[in-house]
Amino acid sequence: MMLKISLSLLVSFLFLTDLFAQDRRSTEQATESDSLIAIAMAEHAALMYPKLRQFTITHEENAFGQITSAMHGNRIFEGKFRTSRTHINMNVPIMQRANDHLIGSLGVIHQFYDLHDVKSYDAAHVVYDQRTYIPMMSAALTYMHKDSLFGRPVNYMAHLSGIFDPSMSKAQLTFTGMANFVLRQTANSRLTAGAVLVLDPASPVPFFLMLNYFRRFENLNMDLMIDLPYRLALRKAVKDRTSFTFFNELQGSNSFFKFSDQQTILTNDYTFSNLEIKSGLMAEYRLTKKAVVSLSTGVNYAVNSRIREGSAKPNDYFIKNKHQAVPFVQVGISLLPFWKGVAL
């Protein structure tokens, strides 16, 4: 997540809304050919934006890298640190009309943090080698409406999301509203700009702007996707089933975190926040008509890593970590859209 929301998921849903809104006829009036075209468009969108796929399992492994941590500005420890994560996510179309969509999302995240070769520098807060397992659950509802304003197409979105621990005793909720204007659209390109409102006391900013540009190069069979401020990707399709995507993406995560019981002073429950830049190459192969397998590799750099109490604001952290950039590899399997939801 970025800013405790999945901004990339909103951008992906926005792209899907634009695709389906090209056919403004109701389901009752649509022909079988229209339905097949809509399915093909949804599959094409999901190939370019993996977060649109209806079911996804990915596992990510990061190499060990140097970590240096400071508490209230004073160095507390250094050592070797690595993460591994398994994501399971499902997007469920609940409702679909010509200009309205409602989509639910459910997810599970299994996270492992390894800390080794620790050197502590604060006798009052001794940190030891440890391996921490943090399971998390997520849920979200996204409503999208396509309209016009001042003669320009505009998309409105409302996104309610939450993360929970397995016992459901802890939760963090976020509401996000977005308005996105289509500035220019042709058969092979689209330029949009919008504003995002985040209602979350832990968000560093309550409001920011975004810019999205998509370009299809027919003669090269390539797609360019620029989604500022979080993503730049260039996808090249090879034959019918294989594609390669060069990407540079900003990703974030929040986890409910607890130090090892050995740290007798640091035993409260905290929130561990990470903001990472991933750069690399993803190869995908369409195993069947609806199933896609993927392999990604590259470099992962944590630009912001902090530990804070509960729902404290981002600037109220008490531990700040500095991470070395490390190589990563990720494997996954996903299903392209196979259900359009209920047309109401």
Side-chain angles (χ1 to χ4, degrees):
M1 293 178 295
M2 178 184 176
L3 304 178
K4 284 184 61 187
I5 65 166
S6 181
L7 178 58
S8 58
L9 187 62
L10 291 181
V11 173
S12 302
F13 284 154
L14 172 65
F15 184 71
L16 183 64
T17 306
D18 282 344
L19 281 177
F20 280 113
Q22 291 178 15
D23 184 356
R24 307 178 73 90
R25 287 174 293 183
S26 67
T27 304
E28 291 78 13
Q29 296 173 316
T31 66
E32 182 178 356
S33 176
D34 294 327
S35 179
L36 293 175
I37 291 174
I39 293 173
M41 293 166 66
E43 289 184 357
H44 184 61
L47 287 172
M48 290 182 292
Y49 288 85
K51 292 184 184 298
L52 284 175
R53 298 171 190 179
Q54 287 190 343
F55 183 75
T56 303
I57 301 176
T58 61
H59 180 73
E60 171 194 327
E61 290 283 347
N62 291 271
F64 274 102
Q66 186 71 18
I67 180 176
T68 303
S69 296
M71 178 182 292
H72 302 301
N74 299 313
R75 187 170 62 167
I76 180 174
F77 76 90
E78 66 178 40
K80 297 293 185 180
F81 181 80
R82 71 181 293 271
T83 62
S84 61
R85 304 182 182 105
T86 299
H87 293 256
I88 303 173
N89 188 75
M90 180 169 57
N91 296 320
V92 182
I94 299 172
M95 180 197 72
Q96 183 179 307
R97 296 176 179 173
N99 294 326
D100 297 276
H101 302 267
L102 181 64
I103 298 175
S105 300
L106 296 173
V108 177
I109 307 172
H110 299 277
Q111 302 171 94
F112 294 90
Y113 298 133
D114 287 298
L115 183 61
H116 291 293
D117 301 330
V118 174
K119 296 179 181 179
S120 287
Y121 298 100
D122 188 337
H125 303 91
V126 180
V127 178
Y128 300 90
D129 290 9
Q130 63 176 293
R131 177 176 172 83
T132 304
Y133 167 56
I134 303 178
M136 301 282 293
M137 299 186 299
S138 63
L141 277 177
T142 303
Y143 172 72
M144 300 169 288
H145 175 70
K146 187 175 180 69
D147 210 326
S148 62
L149 186 64
F150 305 121
R152 292 276 186 180
V154 60
N155 297 289
Y156 299 101
M157 290 192 189
H159 181 75
L160 179 64
S161 62
I163 57 174
F164 313 87
D165 70 349
S167 68
M168 304 297 288
S169 61
K170 300 176 188 175
Q172 291 183 0
L173 300 177
T174 298
F175 174 79
T176 307
M178 183 170 73
N180 193 287
F181 291 85
V182 179
L183 302 179
R184 184 174 182 272
Q185 183 162 341
T186 67
N188 293 317
S189 67
R190 183 180 68 258
L191 176 65
T192 67
V196 180
L197 173 69
V198 182
L199 300 181
D200 180 356
S203 174
V205 291
F207 176 86
F208 59 94
L209 302 177
M210 62 185 301
L211 182 71
N212 313 106
Y213 178 71
F214 169 81
R215 177 65 185 272
R216 170 73 174 168
F217 299 96
E218 291 283 357
N219 56 332
L220 299 175
N221 203 16
M222 296 176 65
D223 299 296
L224 173 65
M225 292 151 279
I226 302 175
D227 302 308
L228 302 178
Y230 91 96
R231 181 184 189 233
L232 187 152
L234 182 65
R235 179 180 182 272
K236 167 68 175 177
V238 181
K239 298 183 178 180
D240 293 332
R241 295 192 172 193
T242 306
S243 68
F244 295 92
T245 302
F246 294 94
F247 63 89
N248 191 72
E249 186 167 320
L250 188 67
Q251 297 183 356
S253 65
N254 285 321
S255 303
F256 301 122
F257 178 77
K258 184 177 181 179
F259 283 99
S260 167
D261 291 338
Q262 292 177 299
Q263 278 85 254
T264 56
I265 296 180
L266 300 174
T267 56
N268 291 326
D269 293 326
Y270 303 109
T271 299
F272 184 22
S273 300
N274 270 315
L275 190 63
E276 305 167 344
I277 295 178
K278 288 184 176 179
S279 301
L281 173 67
M282 177 174 67
E284 292 197 304
Y285 179 74
R286 199 163 179 175
L287 193 63
T288 68
K289 184 177 180 180
K290 292 295 183 179
V292 179
V293 292
S294 64
L295 173 65
S296 304
T297 186
V299 176
N300 187 2
Y301 176 58
V303 296
N304 193 319
S305 177
R306 298 171 176 178
I307 298 177
R308 51 188 170 79
E309 293 191 24
S311 60
K313 294 183 178 180
N315 290 333
D316 291 336
Y317 62 91
F318 70 100
I319 291 182
K320 183 177 182 179
N321 306 307
K322 183 178 180 181
H323 293 268
Q324 176 187 14
V326 296
F328 78 91
V329 63
Q330 178 176 296
V331 295
I333 184 168
S334 54
L335 299 181
L336 299 178
F338 53 86
W339 186 51
K340 294 173 58 179
V342 180
L344 299 176

